Amino acid sequence: MSIIVQKFGGTSVANADKIRAAAARAVATKQAGHQVVMVVSARGKKTDELVRLAAEMSDQPAAREMDMLLSTGEQESVSLMAMAVHSLGEKAVSLTGGQIGIITDSTFSKARIESISTERIRKHLDAGEIVIACGFQGVDPEMNITTLGRGGSDTTATALAAALKADECQIYTDVEGVFTTDPRVVTEARKVSQLAYDEMLELASLGAGVMHSRSIEFAKKFRVPLRVRPSFADGEGTLIANLGESRVVSGLALARNEARVTLADLPDQPGVTSSIFACMSKRKIPVDMVVQNVAVDGKATVSFTVPEGDLADTLTAANEAVKILGAGTIRSGTNVAKVSVVGSGMQSHSGVAAQMFQTLLEKGINLEMITTSEIKISVLVERDRCDEALLAVHQGFHMETELPQSPAVGIQQAKEQRLDVNSDEKLLSEIVGKLANMEDIVVSEVLLDESQSRVTLHHIPDLPGSSSQLFSAVANKNIMVDMIVQNVSDTGHAEVSFTIPRTDLQKCLALAEDLAASWENATVSHEAEIDKLTVVGIGLRTHTGVGERMFKALADANINIQMINTSEIRMSAVVDSKAGQAGFESLQNAFHLR
Ligand code: ADP
Ligand code: ASP
Ligand code: MG
């Protein structure tokens, strides 16, 4: 019999009427002939209330006790939900994370799932009961209660769907589905009918609050078709599945509370990035927008962003890194926010970055940092202007109107795609099959790209419009830009490096020199042959250890890194072309891919 997992978020179970409505939905699904597992969040703002209560007891409540406390919110919801189902005349049983058999590691407040034993759930399902599971929680091997991180009920739902090989995982929430961007910020945002796993993975991890990003990792790894649906209506919602390339731009994400950290005056030698990443990874700090400036006068600078809540920890880790490296100064700032555009079709279209920068230029919004990867572009802007920036980019790409897209994929087709095991799928299922723990990192491939050149503009004026001018000129010549990293120095000047096909180098240098001549003191440098090494996997940025392992492997092979970009599905480093092959081999070894 088919199994459907239905997850209800906090607002969808906020009061008795809403709990009854959710129960009725599960009962209707059961009566339509499915086995039903419900995953339920704490009611309304319950978790926030509990966090506030804890703060009244202590400035630094013990992590173990915090998890013990927060897990009670879900326990309240599941028992009420079971009562509601009973009064509709169906059998139901509520279970805690521990009772279901969700075993996690012991990282309180951000525990990762190691395994799920489905035996008990199946027994209840086979007895004709609706199983109602607490979201967001598990137990560690010592039976301590753990939680998965705020918003973690989505992850419980997809992990259960994966373990049970469910036919569909439905996420019921307070909006019609996944929108082009947060409808609370941009009122003209539009519901999207379908998204590829990779797009949703990027959107969620870059700040789209509608789904916990780790839940999409499960969905992608185990090929769980996901549907985000409204709990207050009967809409079809948004299907998230294994879909091919679709729109050039499919969504925007905003991470409002970012902080930026710069480590300057570092020695320019192999191992610097590796040491920094190792210190960050030890504290599980998710580092994003990493910009490693091409060294001038023998000193390197590395800048990156972290969630503001992790800043204190980050600074401690940065101090450790400086101590290990024996040199370096640390700076940080908090008045920044990250705006990202995501679209799987971006990888084969030029000019997306140029268009985004042009739109922000028209609003006079300055770009403090830029990083790109195959399917996303992120910019760092002043926090006070981030809502305005989001709206402008939304309008700039005409996202309020339905864009042409591939025909809607029905759930049946998505299922067929799941069964249609091509080589990628086979590879993925082999790797996933060998994982010791369900939530372990998946690295499936290492790639070596020997077709690109690097161009860097130094000392460009840090004014709205510099990058826009540059990338418009590049797009006008039909040059496909791959990686872009831009950083602003203390001197109020920006430096931007980007990679392009080697065959376009002369054309690109000519226009870069022209532009540089129009800016006082700006200069151009380049490297005709660079190699790009890429690690491909799932959830790479949120698993803080991947960067560490990648950069350590390159450092051990004595390879200097010139540029870095990170995303949830790829992590790339630009290196000297003489080092590409050796780097490729060291990465294959580091990730056990040979
Ligand atoms: P739940 O309690 O159901 O888990 P959340 O509050 O976690 O709900 O997520 C739903 C909210 O996410 C919406 O109310 C919406 O404001 C916000 N959101 C942010 N980005 C998006 C987006 N791209 N699409 C839809 N909703 C979004
Ligand atoms: N109740 C938890 C939270 O508020 C988990 C969740 O809702 O997904 O973060
Ligand atoms: Mg949520």
Side-chain angles (χ1 to χ4, degrees):
M1 200 187 275
S2 59
I3 300 180
I4 307 272
V5 174
Q6 300 185 326
K7 179 254 168 179
F8 293 88
T11 42
S12 308
V13 293
N15 57 36
D17 283 342
K18 290 188 175 174
I19 294 177
R20 271 192 285 272
R25 201 181 277 277
V27 167
T29 308
K30 164 121 199 306
Q31 291 175 353
H34 306 283
Q35 292 186 322
V36 181
V37 176
M38 300 177 82
V39 174
V40 188
S41 289
R43 295 188 309 120
K45 300 263 173 244
K46 185 81 196 182
T47 313
D48 293 333
E49 266 169 44
L50 294 170
V51 169
R52 271 197 301 275
L53 256 181
E56 285 181 31
M57 294 302 134
S58 160
D59 286 346
Q60 283 185 309
R64 181 190 180 279
E65 303 312 325
M66 240 2 237
D67 282 15
M68 184 70 131
L69 176 69
L70 297 193
S71 68
T72 62
E74 271 67 17
Q75 212 170 310
E76 176 188 77
S77 303
V78 287
S79 44
L80 292 170
M81 187 65 76
M83 295 171 200
V85 173
H86 294 160
S87 57
L88 292 171
E90 278 290 344
K91 292 192 280 184
V93 58
S94 64
L95 298 171
T96 65
Q99 287 172 333
I100 301 165
I102 299 188
I103 308 293
T104 70
D105 64 17
S106 305
T107 319
F108 296 110
S109 87
K110 5 178 152 164
R112 285 197 180 260
I113 298 178
E114 293 187 341
S115 63
I116 300 181
S117 56
T118 53
E119 218 173 293
R120 184 160 182 184
I121 300 185
R122 286 193 192 279
K123 208 174 72 201
H124 287 295
L125 290 175
D126 291 343
E129 291 168 307
I130 292 177
V131 171
I132 306 171
C134 285
F136 174 59
Q137 56 174 261
V139 290
D140 76 0
E142 269 78 56
M143 296 302 283
N144 296 300
I145 294 180
T146 54
T147 65
L148 308 180
R150 296 303 305 270
S153 296
D154 297 329
T155 295
T156 309
T158 47
L160 276 176
L164 291 162
K165 299 197 171 45
D167 288 70
E168 185 168 317
C169 180
Q170 303 170 344
I171 307 289
Y172 288 94
T173 185
D174 61 350
V175 279
E176 289 280 350
V178 180
F179 281 61
T180 46
T181 192
D182 190 342
R184 272 184 301 207
V185 182
V186 176
T187 46
E188 59 206 48
R190 190 178 42 76
K191 196 206 77 170
V192 184
S193 57
Q194 59 185 56
L195 283 166
Y197 289 130
D198 287 346
E199 291 173 317
M200 192 65 224
L201 201 50
E202 281 299 337
L203 282 171
S205 128
L206 291 168
V210 63
M211 293 284 293
H212 197 225
S213 72
R214 283 162 52 194
S215 67
I216 319 295
E217 289 178 37
F218 273 104
K220 179 175 179 189
K221 262 155 85 169
F222 297 94
R223 293 296 191 241
V224 179
L226 266 181
R227 204 177 267 283
V228 181
R229 304 180 73 169
S231 58
F232 52 85
D234 278 326
E236 275 305 291
T238 303
L239 174 71
I240 301 161
N242 185 29
L243 311 170
E245 198 174 289
S246 59
R247 296 180 209 85
V248 175
V249 170
S250 42
L252 306 183
L254 171 64
R256 197 180 293 275
N257 297 316
E258 290 289 285
R260 114 187 219 146
V261 177
T262 300
L263 278 82
D265 303 319
L266 299 165
D268 180 30
Q269 66 198 35
V272 171
T273 326
S274 163
S275 303
I276 297 171
F277 266 74
C279 293
M280 299 299 153
S281 160
K282 205 168 77 190
R283 291 170 188 274
K284 291 204 159 62
I285 297 167
V287 170
D288 192 29
M289 293 192 82
V290 187
V291 177
Q292 163 132 8
N293 287 17
V294 175
V296 264
D297 58 43
K299 297 262 175 65
T301 306
V302 177
S303 302
F304 51 85
T305 58
V306 293
E308 192 175 346
D310 286 328
L311 181 60
D313 255 5
T314 305
L315 293 177
T316 312
N319 270 306
E320 284 166 8
V322 165
K323 244 189 227 137
I324 294 168
L325 294 168
T329 46
I330 303 166
R331 291 188 302 271
S332 65
T334 52
N335 187 25
V336 287
K338 180 172 66 185
V339 175
S340 307
V341 331
V342 173
S344 58
M346 201 181 282
Q347 44 201 331
S348 49
H349 285 79
S350 60
V352 184
Q355 194 180 336
M356 180 183 192
F357 304 157
Q358 179 63 32
T359 301
L360 292 167
L361 162 67
E362 282 160 15
K363 294 281 170 201
I365 295 172
N366 203 12
L367 309 182
E368 299 190 20
M369 256 167 119
I370 300 171
T371 57
T372 62
S373 83
E374 283 72 4
I375 68 162
K376 73 117 209 280
I377 302 162
S378 295
V379 297
L380 203 64
V381 300
E382 199 186 319
R383 195 177 292 169
D384 301 338
R385 300 197 68 186
C386 67
D387 289 351
E388 202 188 328
L390 194 72
L391 176 63
V393 177
H394 199 270
Q395 288 175 340
F397 285 110
H398 304 292
M399 298 180 80
E400 70 285 0
T401 52
E402 187 80 43
L403 298 169
Q405 53 172 297
S406 39
V409 172
I411 200 73
Q412 189 54 36
Q413 265 170 293
K415 250 193 264 171
E416 281 161 14
Q417 285 184 6
R418 188 158 60 135
L419 296 175
D420 171 24
V421 182
N422 58 33
S423 62
D424 279 359
E425 298 286 290
K426 235 191 200 146
L427 184 69
L428 179 67
S429 68
E430 266 171 37
I431 294 171
V432 170
K434 282 192 217 144
L435 294 181
N437 297 317
M438 271 188 103
E439 217 171 335
D440 277 355
I441 183 67
V442 166
V443 171
S444 50
E445 225 179 330
V446 175
L447 308 173
L448 171 62
D449 173 353
E450 300 178 289
S451 68
Q452 301 201 55
S453 306
R454 170 183 58 78
V455 176
T456 300
L457 275 93
H458 309 269
H459 253 84
I460 55 182
D462 176 28
L463 294 171
S466 311
S467 351
S468 163
Q469 237 180 310
L470 170 61
F471 290 105
S472 295
V474 174
N476 283 339
K477 295 270 181 216
N478 271 327
I479 300 173
M480 274 298 288
V481 178
D482 180 13
M483 280 170 81
I484 302 176
V485 298
Q486 182 208 279
N487 199 12
V488 176
S489 75
D490 284 344
T491 54
H493 285 92
E495 181 179 89
V496 55
S497 294
F498 55 101
T499 65
I500 49 158
R502 287 179 192 173
T503 44
D504 286 331
L505 178 64
Q506 291 316 322
K507 202 161 59 168
C508 187
L509 281 177
L511 72 86
E513 294 286 1
D514 275 356
L515 259 183
S518 70
W519 290 323
E520 211 185 330
N521 295 329
T523 53
V524 180
S525 70
H526 75 277
E527 202 164 325
E529 298 190 349
I530 49 103
D531 280 2
K532 179 176 142 190
L533 291 161
T534 302
V535 167
V536 182
I538 303 173
L540 302 190
R541 200 186 316 112
T542 33
H543 284 259
T544 53
V546 181
E548 180 191 8
R549 241 201 284 173
M550 174 170 187
F551 303 125
K552 169 138 196 342
L554 295 177
D556 289 348
N558 211 24
I559 295 172
N560 216 356
I561 297 166
Q562 302 184 8
M563 281 167 85
I564 295 170
N565 73 17
T566 60
S567 79
E568 286 292 335
I569 47 174
R570 278 158 186 256
M571 203 167 268
S572 302
V574 166
V575 301
D576 190 297
S577 68
K578 288 187 229 51
Q581 193 58 40
F584 177 66
E585 283 162 25
S586 68
L587 289 178
Q588 283 197 313
N589 285 332
F591 292 100
H592 313 295
L593 291 170
R594 324 156 30 106

